[in-house]
Short mmCIF file of all heavy atoms in Angstrom, two decimals:
data_model
loop_
_atom_site.label_atom_id
_atom_site.label_comp_id
_atom_site.label_asym_id
_atom_site.label_seq_id
_atom_site.Cartn_x
_atom_site.Cartn_y
_atom_site.Cartn_z
N PHE A 720 -16.47 12.43 23.18
CA PHE A 720 -17.87 12.76 22.85
C PHE A 720 -18.80 12.42 24.02
O PHE A 720 -19.86 13.01 24.15
CB PHE A 720 -18.32 11.92 21.65
CG PHE A 720 -18.02 12.54 20.31
CD1 PHE A 720 -16.72 12.87 19.97
CD2 PHE A 720 -19.02 12.76 19.38
CE1 PHE A 720 -16.43 13.43 18.72
CE2 PHE A 720 -18.75 13.32 18.15
CZ PHE A 720 -17.45 13.64 17.81
N ILE A 759 -9.96 3.44 17.61
CA ILE A 759 -11.17 3.85 16.87
C ILE A 759 -10.79 3.89 15.39
O ILE A 759 -10.85 4.92 14.71
CB ILE A 759 -11.75 5.17 17.44
CG1 ILE A 759 -13.02 5.59 16.75
CG2 ILE A 759 -10.73 6.30 17.46
CD1 ILE A 759 -13.96 6.44 17.58
N ASN A 761 -7.69 3.16 14.43
CA ASN A 761 -6.30 3.59 14.29
C ASN A 761 -5.32 2.41 14.28
O ASN A 761 -4.36 2.41 13.51
CB ASN A 761 -5.90 4.51 15.47
CG ASN A 761 -6.78 5.73 15.57
OD1 ASN A 761 -8.00 5.63 15.54
ND2 ASN A 761 -6.18 6.89 15.69
N HIS A 819 -1.77 17.22 11.76
CA HIS A 819 -1.61 16.38 12.96
C HIS A 819 -2.84 15.52 13.24
O HIS A 819 -2.77 14.62 14.06
CB HIS A 819 -1.25 17.23 14.18
CG HIS A 819 -2.16 18.40 14.35
ND1 HIS A 819 -2.20 19.45 13.48
CD2 HIS A 819 -3.09 18.66 15.27
CE1 HIS A 819 -3.12 20.33 13.86
NE2 HIS A 819 -3.67 19.86 14.94
N THR A 820 -3.97 15.78 12.59
CA THR A 820 -5.17 14.95 12.78
C THR A 820 -5.91 14.84 11.45
O THR A 820 -5.61 15.59 10.50
CB THR A 820 -6.16 15.57 13.78
OG1 THR A 820 -6.60 16.83 13.25
CG2 THR A 820 -5.57 15.76 15.16
N GLY A 821 -6.95 14.01 11.44
CA GLY A 821 -7.80 13.90 10.26
C GLY A 821 -8.62 15.17 10.06
O GLY A 821 -8.83 15.62 8.93
N SER A 822 -9.11 15.74 11.15
CA SER A 822 -9.91 16.97 11.04
C SER A 822 -9.06 18.08 10.43
O SER A 822 -9.54 18.84 9.58
CB SER A 822 -10.40 17.41 12.42
OG SER A 822 -11.16 16.39 13.01
N ALA A 823 -7.82 18.18 10.88
CA ALA A 823 -6.94 19.22 10.34
C ALA A 823 -6.62 18.94 8.87
O ALA A 823 -6.44 19.89 8.09
CB ALA A 823 -5.66 19.30 11.16
N ALA A 824 -6.57 17.67 8.49
CA ALA A 824 -6.34 17.34 7.07
C ALA A 824 -7.52 17.80 6.23
O ALA A 824 -7.36 18.38 5.15
CB ALA A 824 -6.10 15.84 6.91
N VAL A 825 -8.74 17.56 6.73
CA VAL A 825 -9.95 17.99 6.01
C VAL A 825 -9.97 19.52 5.92
O VAL A 825 -10.22 20.10 4.86
CB VAL A 825 -11.22 17.44 6.70
CG1 VAL A 825 -12.48 18.13 6.18
CG2 VAL A 825 -11.31 15.93 6.49
N SER A 853 -22.80 13.02 6.36
CA SER A 853 -21.39 12.58 6.38
C SER A 853 -20.66 13.18 7.57
O SER A 853 -21.05 14.21 8.11
CB SER A 853 -20.70 13.01 5.08
OG SER A 853 -20.82 14.41 4.90
N PHE A 854 -19.57 12.52 7.98
CA PHE A 854 -18.72 13.05 9.05
C PHE A 854 -17.34 13.28 8.46
O PHE A 854 -16.74 12.38 7.88
CB PHE A 854 -18.63 12.08 10.23
CG PHE A 854 -17.83 12.65 11.38
CD1 PHE A 854 -18.40 13.56 12.25
CD2 PHE A 854 -16.50 12.30 11.57
CE1 PHE A 854 -17.67 14.12 13.30
CE2 PHE A 854 -15.76 12.84 12.61
CZ PHE A 854 -16.35 13.75 13.47
N HIS A 855 -16.84 14.51 8.60
CA HIS A 855 -15.50 14.79 8.08
C HIS A 855 -14.59 15.40 9.14
O HIS A 855 -13.52 15.92 8.80
CB HIS A 855 -15.59 15.68 6.84
CG HIS A 855 -16.17 14.98 5.64
ND1 HIS A 855 -15.55 13.92 5.01
CD2 HIS A 855 -17.35 15.14 4.99
CE1 HIS A 855 -16.29 13.49 4.01
NE2 HIS A 855 -17.39 14.20 3.98
N GLY A 856 -15.00 15.37 10.42
CA GLY A 856 -14.08 15.83 11.45
C GLY A 856 -14.69 16.82 12.41
O GLY A 856 -15.86 17.20 12.30
N SER A 857 -13.87 17.26 13.37
CA SER A 857 -14.41 17.95 14.54
C SER A 857 -13.99 19.41 14.67
O SER A 857 -14.44 20.09 15.58
CB SER A 857 -13.97 17.19 15.79
OG SER A 857 -12.57 17.08 15.79
N THR A 858 -13.10 19.93 13.81
CA THR A 858 -12.88 21.38 13.87
C THR A 858 -14.06 22.06 13.19
O THR A 858 -14.85 21.40 12.49
CB THR A 858 -11.58 21.78 13.13
OG1 THR A 858 -11.75 21.47 11.74
CG2 THR A 858 -10.36 21.07 13.69
N ALA A 861 -14.12 21.43 9.46
CA ALA A 861 -14.38 20.02 9.14
C ALA A 861 -15.82 19.66 9.49
O ALA A 861 -16.47 18.87 8.79
CB ALA A 861 -13.40 19.13 9.89
N VAL A 927 -16.13 13.27 -0.46
CA VAL A 927 -16.86 12.03 -0.14
C VAL A 927 -15.93 11.07 0.60
O VAL A 927 -14.71 11.12 0.43
CB VAL A 927 -17.41 11.30 -1.40
CG1 VAL A 927 -18.52 12.09 -2.06
CG2 VAL A 927 -16.31 10.96 -2.39
N GLU A 928 -16.55 10.19 1.38
CA GLU A 928 -15.85 9.01 1.90
C GLU A 928 -16.16 7.90 0.90
O GLU A 928 -17.34 7.56 0.74
CB GLU A 928 -16.46 8.60 3.24
CG GLU A 928 -15.77 9.05 4.47
CD GLU A 928 -16.33 8.29 5.67
OE1 GLU A 928 -17.49 8.51 6.05
OE2 GLU A 928 -15.62 7.45 6.22
N PRO A 929 -15.18 7.33 0.21
CA PRO A 929 -15.51 6.31 -0.81
C PRO A 929 -16.20 5.08 -0.22
O PRO A 929 -16.97 4.41 -0.90
CB PRO A 929 -14.17 5.96 -1.43
CG PRO A 929 -13.12 6.63 -0.60
CD PRO A 929 -13.76 7.67 0.26
N VAL A 930 -15.91 4.78 1.04
CA VAL A 930 -16.68 3.75 1.78
C VAL A 930 -17.14 4.44 3.05
O VAL A 930 -16.33 5.01 3.79
CB VAL A 930 -15.82 2.53 2.13
CG1 VAL A 930 -16.61 1.55 3.01
CG2 VAL A 930 -15.34 1.82 0.87
N LYS A 931 -18.44 4.37 3.30
CA LYS A 931 -18.97 5.10 4.45
C LYS A 931 -18.54 4.41 5.75
O LYS A 931 -18.85 3.24 5.99
CB LYS A 931 -20.50 5.10 4.34
CG LYS A 931 -21.15 6.32 4.92
CD LYS A 931 -22.64 6.30 4.67
CE LYS A 931 -23.30 7.19 5.69
NZ LYS A 931 -24.72 6.96 5.83
N GLY A 932 -17.81 5.15 6.58
CA GLY A 932 -17.25 4.55 7.78
C GLY A 932 -18.29 3.97 8.71
O GLY A 932 -18.11 2.88 9.26
N VAL A 933 -19.41 4.67 8.89
CA VAL A 933 -20.38 4.20 9.89
C VAL A 933 -21.15 2.96 9.47
O VAL A 933 -21.78 2.31 10.30
CB VAL A 933 -21.39 5.31 10.28
CG1 VAL A 933 -20.73 6.41 11.08
CG2 VAL A 933 -22.12 5.85 9.06
N ASP A 960 -12.07 11.57 1.39
CA ASP A 960 -11.69 11.54 2.79
C ASP A 960 -11.43 10.09 3.17
O ASP A 960 -12.36 9.31 3.35
CB ASP A 960 -12.82 12.15 3.64
CG ASP A 960 -12.52 12.11 5.13
OD1 ASP A 960 -11.57 11.42 5.53
OD2 ASP A 960 -13.26 12.76 5.89
N GLU A 961 -10.15 9.72 3.23
CA GLU A 961 -9.77 8.34 3.57
C GLU A 961 -9.20 8.27 4.99
O GLU A 961 -8.36 7.41 5.29
CB GLU A 961 -8.79 7.79 2.54
CG GLU A 961 -9.41 7.62 1.15
CD GLU A 961 -9.20 6.23 0.56
OE1 GLU A 961 -8.99 5.27 1.33
OE2 GLU A 961 -9.23 6.13 -0.67
N VAL A 962 -9.65 9.18 5.84
CA VAL A 962 -9.16 9.18 7.22
C VAL A 962 -9.48 7.84 7.88
O VAL A 962 -8.65 7.27 8.59
CB VAL A 962 -9.79 10.36 8.00
CG1 VAL A 962 -9.56 10.20 9.51
CG2 VAL A 962 -9.21 11.67 7.51
N PHE A 963 -10.68 7.32 7.63
CA PHE A 963 -11.04 6.03 8.22
C PHE A 963 -10.67 4.86 7.30
O PHE A 963 -10.23 3.82 7.76
CB PHE A 963 -12.54 6.01 8.53
CG PHE A 963 -13.01 4.67 9.01
CD1 PHE A 963 -12.74 4.24 10.30
CD2 PHE A 963 -13.70 3.81 8.17
CE1 PHE A 963 -13.13 2.99 10.75
CE2 PHE A 963 -14.11 2.56 8.61
CZ PHE A 963 -13.82 2.15 9.90
N THR A 964 -10.87 5.03 6.00
CA THR A 964 -10.72 3.88 5.10
C THR A 964 -9.27 3.59 4.72
O THR A 964 -8.97 2.46 4.31
CB THR A 964 -11.52 4.13 3.80
OG1 THR A 964 -11.11 5.40 3.25
CG2 THR A 964 -13.01 4.17 4.06
N CYS A 986 -7.40 12.73 1.89
CA CYS A 986 -7.10 13.05 3.29
C CYS A 986 -6.87 11.75 4.05
O CYS A 986 -7.66 10.80 3.92
CB CYS A 986 -8.28 13.78 3.94
SG CYS A 986 -8.63 15.36 3.16
N PHE A 987 -5.81 11.73 4.85
CA PHE A 987 -5.48 10.55 5.65
C PHE A 987 -5.25 10.94 7.11
O PHE A 987 -4.90 12.08 7.41
CB PHE A 987 -4.18 9.89 5.17
CG PHE A 987 -4.15 9.54 3.72
CD1 PHE A 987 -3.20 10.11 2.88
CD2 PHE A 987 -5.05 8.64 3.19
CE1 PHE A 987 -3.15 9.78 1.53
CE2 PHE A 987 -5.01 8.30 1.84
CZ PHE A 987 -4.06 8.88 1.01
N ALA A 988 -5.39 9.98 8.01
CA ALA A 988 -4.97 10.14 9.42
C ALA A 988 -5.10 8.75 10.06
O ALA A 988 -4.78 7.75 9.41
CB ALA A 988 -5.81 11.18 10.14
N LYS A 989 -5.58 8.68 11.29
CA LYS A 989 -5.84 7.42 12.01
C LYS A 989 -4.72 6.38 11.80
O LYS A 989 -3.67 6.48 12.40
CB LYS A 989 -7.20 6.85 11.60
CG LYS A 989 -8.39 7.62 12.21
CD LYS A 989 -9.67 6.87 11.97
CE LYS A 989 -10.90 7.64 12.37
NZ LYS A 989 -11.21 7.56 13.78
N ALA A 997 0.18 10.90 16.46
CA ALA A 997 -0.86 11.71 15.79
C ALA A 997 -0.29 12.31 14.51
O ALA A 997 0.70 13.05 14.55
CB ALA A 997 -1.32 12.82 16.73
N LEU A 998 -0.90 11.96 13.40
CA LEU A 998 -0.47 12.52 12.11
C LEU A 998 -1.64 12.50 11.14
O LEU A 998 -2.43 11.55 11.13
CB LEU A 998 0.69 11.67 11.52
CG LEU A 998 1.36 12.24 10.27
CD1 LEU A 998 2.23 13.45 10.61
CD2 LEU A 998 2.22 11.17 9.58
N GLY A 999 -1.76 13.54 10.34
CA GLY A 999 -2.73 13.54 9.24
C GLY A 999 -1.98 13.94 7.98
O GLY A 999 -0.84 14.42 8.04
N MET A 1121 -20.23 -2.59 14.43
CA MET A 1121 -19.05 -2.40 13.59
C MET A 1121 -17.88 -3.21 14.18
O MET A 1121 -17.51 -2.99 15.33
CB MET A 1121 -18.75 -0.91 13.66
CG MET A 1121 -17.67 -0.40 12.84
SD MET A 1121 -17.50 1.36 13.36
CE MET A 1121 -16.64 1.99 12.05
N1 LIG B 2507 -12.98 12.05 8.47
C1 LIG B 2507 -13.47 10.84 8.74
C2 LIG B 2507 -14.11 10.06 7.64
C3 LIG B 2507 -13.38 10.31 10.03
O1 LIG B 2507 -13.87 9.10 10.29
C4 LIG B 2507 -12.76 11.08 11.03
C5 LIG B 2507 -12.62 10.56 12.46
N2 LIG B 2507 -13.59 9.73 12.90
C6 LIG B 2507 -12.26 12.35 10.71
C7 LIG B 2507 -12.37 12.81 9.42
C8 LIG B 2507 -11.57 13.19 11.74
O2 LIG B 2507 -10.33 12.64 12.05
P1 LIG B 2507 -9.62 12.96 13.47
O3 LIG B 2507 -10.46 12.30 14.52
O4 LIG B 2507 -8.24 12.38 13.34
O5 LIG B 2507 -9.58 14.44 13.61
#
Side-chain angles (χ1 to χ4, degrees):
F720 273 57
I759 183 154
N761 302 49
H819 50 292
T820 62
S822 302
V825 167
S853 56
F854 184 79
H855 290 295
S857 56
T858 64
V927 292
E928 262 193 291
V930 174
K931 211 176 158 197
V933 290
D960 178 347
E961 294 231 25
V962 167
F963 174 75
T964 53
C986 297
F987 306 119
K989 285 190 188 277
L998 188 73
M1121 184 187 198

